[in-house]
Amino acid sequence: MADERRAGTADVPGPDLRPSRRARLTSGGRWLAGRIPAPWGFVLAVFVGSKIVLSLVGVLVLTAWDGVPGAPPADEAMMRLQQDRISSHRWVSLWFAWDSFLYDHLARLPLDRPWKDFGFPLLYPFLARPLAPLLGGHTAWALLLVANVALLFQLWFAYRLGARLLGDEDPGDGRRAVRYLLLLPTAFLFQAALTESLFVCLALAAFWYAEQRRWLVVGIVGYFLAMSRSVGFVVVIPLALVLLRQHGWRLNLRSLPRYVREGWPLLLVPAGWLTFMAFCRWQGGDWFAYQHAQEKGWGIKVQNPLGVAGSALVGDNSANALRVWIAVAMLAVAAVGLRRRADWPYLVYTVIVVLVPLSMGPPVYKSLLRYLLAAFPVALVLARWARRPGLDGWLTAGLALLQGALFAVWLTYWTHLII
C-alpha cells in the first residue's frame, strides 16, 4: 500500500516551486534597478537609447546616400578619407568631422618642443592624452570616449538642475529637462568627438553647484570650463548673479564682505583662461597666440554681434539667414521663459553664449548651430512649457523633425552648414 501510494503520488504533478525564467529576470531587473541610485537608471537608459537610435539612423542614411551621384561633395571628400582612417565602422567614424581631426592632432603633439597650433583651448584634447594608451594609442577614440562620458554626466546634471529650477512641482520635470536638452536642433553633436558635451557638462555642473551654494566646487569646475572654450571665462558673470540672487540681490558696502567670503572661488573661472594664455606664452612666446591664430586662420575679429546677425538676416545667403534665425528664436524663447527675476542668471548666460560667438564676425556663421548648443537654459524653458496638456507632444515632434533634418545634412557631408 505504501508503495502504491508513493507510485500514485509520483504520477500526480505537484506545484513547481522553481521560479520561472521570466520571473527570475523580472526580479533580477528590479534588484538591479534598486541598486542604481536615482536618476542614474533613467540617465543611462536615455544615453544608451539615444546612442543606438542615432547610430542606426546614421548608418542607414549613409548607406542610402552612397548611391546618390556626386556624393560626397568635392569639398567634403577629404573628410571622408579622414573618417575612414579612424575606423572602418561607420557607426564610429560618422562622429568625426572637421574640428575632430584638429583635436586629434593636438592630442598627439609632443610637449617637449615649441607649439605652432594655438587655435583651440586645450582641455578637451589634453583629457584624451592619458586615455589614448589604454585604447591602443588611438587618440581619436579617446576623444570620442571623453565626449561621451561628458555627455553621460551632462544628462545627470541636466536632470538635477532641471528638477530644481522647475520647482519640483512635477516628478517628470527632470526627465523633460533631459529630453528637451537632447531635442535641441543640433543635439546630435553631443555624441560627436567635439567639445560640445564637455562644455555643456561643465556649465551645467557649475550652475548646479552654485544653486547648492558649494562655491569652492563652482570655482574648480569653472576653472576647467574656461579652459574648454573661450566663452567659458565669461560665464563667471551669470554665476555671480546666482550668488547675488541668493542674498536677495543686495549690493552695498555692508554686504560686500559676505560676497567676498562666499564668492571668492569665482576668481578661479577667469584663472582658467589665464592658464591657457600662460601656456601660449610658454610654448609660443605670445600671451595672445590664441587670438592671433583665430585671426590668421579663420579671419575672426571681434565685432558688434547685432551687426553680424543683421547682415545675415538681410543678406542673400539663405543658409546664413537660417542659422541666425534659429539663434534669434532661441534668444526669444529664453527672453520669454526666463523673464522672472529668479531666472535672470540663466537668461544672462543664454545671451552670452549666443552673442559672444556672433561677435566673432561672419566666419562664425558656419559653426553657429554648433555653438548654440551651449544655450542649455532653452531646454529648461521648453521643459517648463511642456507641462501644458497637449503641448509636449507637438514640441517633441517638431524638434525631432528639425533635428532629424539637420542630422541628415550632417551625415550627407554638407557639414559646413553646422560646423
Side-chain angles (χ1 to χ4, degrees):
M1 291 291 295
D3 291 339
E4 290 177 1
R5 286 195 297 269
R6 283 196 295 270
T9 56
D11 295 333
V12 177
D16 188 358
L17 299 180
R18 295 174 301 175
S20 67
R21 181 169 182 170
R22 179 179 297 179
R24 291 198 303 271
L25 290 175
T26 302
S27 61
R30 290 175 180 172
W31 179 88
L32 182 60
R35 292 294 187 273
I36 300 177
W40 279 112
F42 172 76
V43 167
L44 287 169
V46 170
F47 174 81
V48 173
S50 63
K51 176 70 67 180
I52 292 174
V53 170
L54 286 172
S55 297
L56 180 61
V57 170
V59 172
L60 290 175
V61 171
L62 287 173
T63 302
W65 192 253
D66 284 341
V68 176
D75 60 347
E76 307 283 349
M78 178 57 70
M79 190 188 74
R80 175 66 178 271
L81 293 175
Q82 291 174 307
Q83 289 177 326
D84 290 341
R85 292 193 192 104
I86 288 176
S87 176
S88 60
H89 301 288
R90 281 186 158 180
W91 60 274
V92 175
S93 63
L94 69 88
W95 298 117
F96 294 85
W98 295 113
D99 288 359
S100 302
F101 307 113
L102 297 176
Y103 288 124
D104 183 39
H105 170 68
L106 292 173
R108 290 184 284 106
L109 278 179
L111 295 174
D112 58 352
R113 65 189 67 173
W115 281 38
K116 297 181 180 179
D117 302 276
F118 297 99
F120 295 90
L122 299 177
L123 178 64
Y124 180 50
F126 272 36
L127 287 175
R129 284 175 175 260
L131 295 176
L134 304 177
L135 299 172
H138 294 285
T139 52
W141 295 0
L143 287 168
L144 192 60
L145 177 61
V146 169
N148 279 267
V149 170
L151 172 58
L152 187 60
F153 282 94
Q154 169 191 321
L155 298 180
W156 188 89
F157 284 114
Y159 187 104
R160 289 298 193 189
L161 186 64
R164 181 183 180 91
L165 295 181
L166 296 177
D168 287 318
E169 298 175 7
D170 186 329
D173 283 339
R175 297 189 175 199
R176 276 194 296 271
V178 169
R179 176 153 51 88
Y180 279 100
L181 183 63
L182 291 180
L183 284 171
L184 291 178
T186 55
F188 54 86
L189 293 179
F190 287 140
Q191 310 265 356
L194 297 167
T195 59
E196 272 55 47
S197 59
L198 178 61
F199 180 85
V200 176
C201 175
L202 292 171
L204 282 163
F207 279 100
W208 166 250
Y209 289 116
E211 297 290 351
Q212 300 289 316
R213 300 182 182 232
R214 300 175 62 181
W215 290 103
L216 181 57
V217 180
V218 172
I220 296 172
V221 173
Y223 176 86
F224 292 106
L225 177 68
M227 293 183 68
S228 66
R229 188 177 290 179
S230 57
V231 71
F233 77 92
V234 193
V235 179
V236 69
I237 298 173
L239 288 172
L241 290 178
V242 174
L243 178 62
L244 193 64
R245 185 198 65 199
Q246 290 173 351
H247 294 283
W249 303 100
R250 292 188 299 271
L251 189 59
N252 50 53
L253 291 177
R254 180 175 297 180
S255 60
L256 187 59
R258 176 181 295 178
Y259 287 125
V260 173
R261 185 171 60 254
E262 292 186 28
W264 69 265
L266 289 175
L267 295 174
L268 295 174
V269 181
W273 187 252
L274 289 174
T275 300
F276 176 57
M277 293 179 65
F279 179 87
C280 294
R281 176 65 178 84
W282 170 49
Q283 286 287 6
D286 181 6
W287 288 91
F288 299 94
Y290 171 80
Q291 177 184 345
H292 297 152
Q294 292 274 321
E295 292 175 353
K296 182 178 179 180
W298 294 279
I300 292 174
K301 295 182 180 179
V302 177
Q303 303 177 36
N304 179 1
L306 299 180
V308 175
S311 64
L313 295 178
V314 301
D316 56 359
N317 189 315
S318 58
N320 291 342
L322 172 63
R323 298 179 183 109
V324 174
W325 275 121
I326 291 177
V328 171
M330 295 184 76
L331 284 175
V333 169
V336 174
L338 301 171
R339 65 183 183 275
R340 296 187 308 176
R341 200 176 185 186
D343 295 331
W344 284 358
Y346 298 92
L347 175 60
V348 172
Y349 168 85
T350 304
V351 172
I352 287 174
V353 297
V354 173
L355 293 188
V356 168
L358 282 170
S359 70
M360 295 189 296
V364 79
Y365 292 148
K366 291 182 177 180
S367 300
L368 184 58
L369 294 183
R370 170 189 172 189
Y371 294 144
L372 291 178
L373 275 181
F376 71 83
V378 172
L380 302 183
V381 173
L382 295 175
R384 180 181 290 162
W385 290 351
R387 290 172 174 170
R388 301 174 184 176
L391 185 58
D392 190 17
W394 286 105
L395 279 175
T396 299
L399 289 170
L401 287 173
L402 175 59
Q403 185 179 147
L406 292 173
F407 190 35
V409 170
W410 164 272
L411 293 169
T412 51
Y413 303 104
W414 279 285
T415 55
H416 272 318
L417 180 67
I418 297 167
I419 180 173

